[in-house]
Amino acid sequence: MNRNDLRRVDLNLLIVFETLMHERSVTRAAEKLFLGQPAISAALSRLRSLFDDPLFVRTGRSMEPSARAVEIFALLSPALDSISTAVSRAAEFDPATSTSVFRIGLSDDAEFALLPMLLKRLRAEAPGIVLVVRRVNYILMPGLLASGEISIGVSYTEDLPANAKRKVLRRSMPKVLRADTAPGRLTLDEFCARPHALVSFAGDLSGFIDEELGKLDRKRHVVLAVPQFNGLSTLLAGTDIIAIVPDYTADALTAAGGVRAEDPPLPVRSFELHMAWRGSQDNDPGERWLRSRIQMFFGDPESL
């Protein structure tokens, strides 16, 4: 196929194909693209004719891609990224007049402790934009970035899509959060004897602090696991329960009153809070503006 032949290829078909590769479902692809299922089915029929291949075979409730579809996707995905980059570079971005919709992913700690400050700045600079926030963690982030459901994610991260970019926003230290009025800092014995609350997206009953205690041949007892930081102060109030939280989350919780924070009575390591984004939108003017504001308000205060 030469360049002239590309005129008969509908770019929308390629977007449908990419979405089907991610979703493996006509229903979910239709929801993602805000189209009806018949439109997706018709597009799939045209794709099969274009590539002379079934592309997807239904297996139970899922649609599994053919070998040819996997081969096409490997070539097509970076090409669509390049097209997106070329178009975005040509676009201007004026925060004061923009009505763009930005879709970002935030871990619970970042949303609770850091988003309010960022939002005030965004409202002042760009009152017409729309910010859609999705909950992410190191497990959910790769898939949401790869599918384009978010363009930026802020969380602790591990593996990311091959075309994603990442930078460290801040290095945080854990703090002990407590609501009791007993004087002085907790000793290691008191720390281990106290009941603990754990903020866990997945409902885990152990975390990094248990690994550090294990190195000292010590243990703690978790009596409460909750999925988010909002409301943690209320849960600790009137009890002897303590919790380990990031330092910036501790700042937000203690500022509201009712709890205090202190350093843990054992050696602990710092943790990195990352910002990751889609490589295809690295040079998009609006995305660059938003990333700069996230860096400004989520980053280490010492770096500002």
Side-chain angles (χ1 to χ4, degrees):
M1 177 181 286
N2 58 41
R3 295 294 176 89
N4 287 335
D5 292 330
L6 288 174
R7 289 180 298 175
R8 66 183 178 88
V9 178
D10 184 350
L11 181 61
N12 290 319
L13 288 179
L14 304 183
I15 300 298
V16 170
F17 172 76
E18 184 184 45
T19 305
L20 283 169
M21 285 294 292
H22 285 302
E23 301 297 333
R24 309 294 172 90
S25 163
V26 168
T27 301
R28 291 197 298 271
E31 293 173 351
K32 178 74 179 297
L33 296 173
F34 301 102
L35 295 172
Q37 290 187 39
I40 299 298
S41 296
L44 178 56
S45 178
R46 293 175 61 191
L47 283 164
R48 284 167 168 162
S49 176
L50 175 66
F51 292 113
D52 192 24
D53 188 88
L55 297 179
F56 297 93
V57 178
R58 182 167 296 282
T59 305
R61 296 184 178 181
S62 179
M63 297 176 64
E64 294 302 316
S66 67
R68 176 67 174 141
V70 173
E71 178 185 349
I72 294 169
F73 181 68
L75 296 170
L76 181 64
S77 188
L80 289 175
D81 283 346
S82 297
I83 293 172
S84 177
T85 298
V87 172
S88 66
R89 284 183 178 179
E92 295 183 356
F93 179 77
D94 179 7
T97 60
S98 176
T99 57
S100 298
V101 177
F102 294 97
R103 300 180 184 276
I104 67 173
L106 300 178
S107 58
D108 177 64
D109 51 313
E111 179 184 340
F112 171 74
L114 303 175
L115 179 60
M117 294 183 294
L118 172 68
L119 187 59
K120 290 177 183 177
R121 180 60 175 259
L122 298 185
R123 293 299 302 158
E125 287 191 34
I129 69 166
V130 176
L131 190 67
V132 179
V133 179
R134 298 283 300 273
R135 180 65 51 81
V136 300
N137 57 18
Y138 73 95
I139 298 173
L140 299 176
M141 177 96 80
L144 291 174
L145 282 173
S147 67
E149 292 177 72
I150 61 173
S151 60
I152 305 170
V154 177
S155 177
Y156 302 104
T157 62
E158 292 184 359
D159 297 328
L160 290 174
N163 68 337
K165 296 180 178 291
R166 170 171 53 190
K167 74 178 301 182
V168 177
L169 285 177
R170 66 161 65 202
R171 292 175 175 84
S172 66
M173 293 296 296
K175 294 287 186 178
V176 178
L177 198 70
R178 52 190 294 196
D180 63 277
T181 57
R185 291 175 50 184
L186 295 173
T187 66
L188 181 57
D189 287 339
E190 291 170 335
F191 179 83
C192 293
R194 285 284 195 96
H196 285 244
L198 178 66
V199 179
S200 168
F201 181 87
D204 298 322
L205 291 177
S206 64
F208 77 94
I209 200 70
D210 298 283
E211 298 175 8
E212 301 301 327
L213 286 170
K215 296 174 183 177
L216 303 175
D217 198 26
R218 306 295 291 268
K219 293 182 179 180
R220 65 170 177 167
H221 181 45
V222 176
V223 300
L224 173 68
V226 293
Q228 57 190 27
F229 288 93
N230 189 27
L232 186 59
S233 297
T234 302
L235 295 173
L236 299 187
T239 76
D240 59 347
I241 301 174
I242 59 177
I244 292 286
V245 300
D247 50 15
Y248 51 88
T249 307
D251 291 342
L253 289 164
T254 55
V259 291
R260 56 191 167 113
E262 62 188 51
D263 293 330
L266 71 157
V268 290
R269 63 185 185 273
S270 65
F271 286 88
E272 294 179 344
L273 183 65
H274 300 144
M275 175 169 64
W277 63 96
R278 289 168 57 84
S280 61
Q281 294 169 294
D282 188 38
N283 290 300
D284 180 285
E287 294 288 333
R288 292 179 64 182
W289 168 80
L290 181 57
R291 292 198 304 269
S292 73
R293 296 320 184 254
I294 291 174
Q295 170 73 43
M296 184 182 299
F297 288 91
F298 284 21
D300 285 308
E302 292 79 6
S303 66
L304 300 181

